[in-house]
């Protein structure tokens, strides 16, 4: 299995999910506000909102911090 990827926007919901879930999974952390070049990658993987974890080809959306469309506004 490939390394999970945790996409987030840096909001308080995202940071809490990062501290509890992403760290436990050993996920790569991708802050989309800091790395906007990875937004298309996340969308193509099926990410609709963040925080979200891509794991084993499936996207798991966690709570709701921001919609992907918010990054394009």
């Amino acid at each position: 299995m490939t390394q999970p990827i945790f996409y987030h926007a840096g909001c308080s919901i995202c940071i809490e999910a990062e501290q509890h879930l992403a760290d436990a999974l050993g996920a790569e952390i991708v802050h989309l506000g800091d790395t906007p070049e990875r937004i298309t990658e996340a969308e193509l993987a099926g990410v609709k909102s963040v925080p979200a974890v891509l794991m084993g080809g499936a996207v798991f959306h966690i709570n709701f911090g921001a919609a992907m469309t918010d990054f394009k506004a």
Side-chain angles (χ1 to χ4, degrees):
M1 184 166 102
T2 60
Q3 178 184 28
I5 302 173
F6 177 77
Y7 295 101
H8 74 97
C11 66
S12 61
I13 292 169
C14 294
I15 297 301
E16 184 176 355
E18 177 182 340
Q19 291 170 345
H20 294 286
L21 181 64
D23 289 346
L25 293 173
E28 174 188 0
I29 308 297
V30 177
H31 185 307
L32 294 172
D34 291 342
T35 55
E37 66 274 9
R38 296 195 65 182
I39 292 171
T40 300
E41 164 196 320
E43 289 178 319
L44 289 173
V47 175
K48 303 289 184 207
S49 64
V50 292
V53 175
L54 174 63
M55 189 167 54
V59 176
F60 300 92
H61 294 92
I62 308 158
N63 207 325
F64 182 82
M68 291 303 290
T69 55
D70 293 340
F71 290 101
K72 296 179 180 184

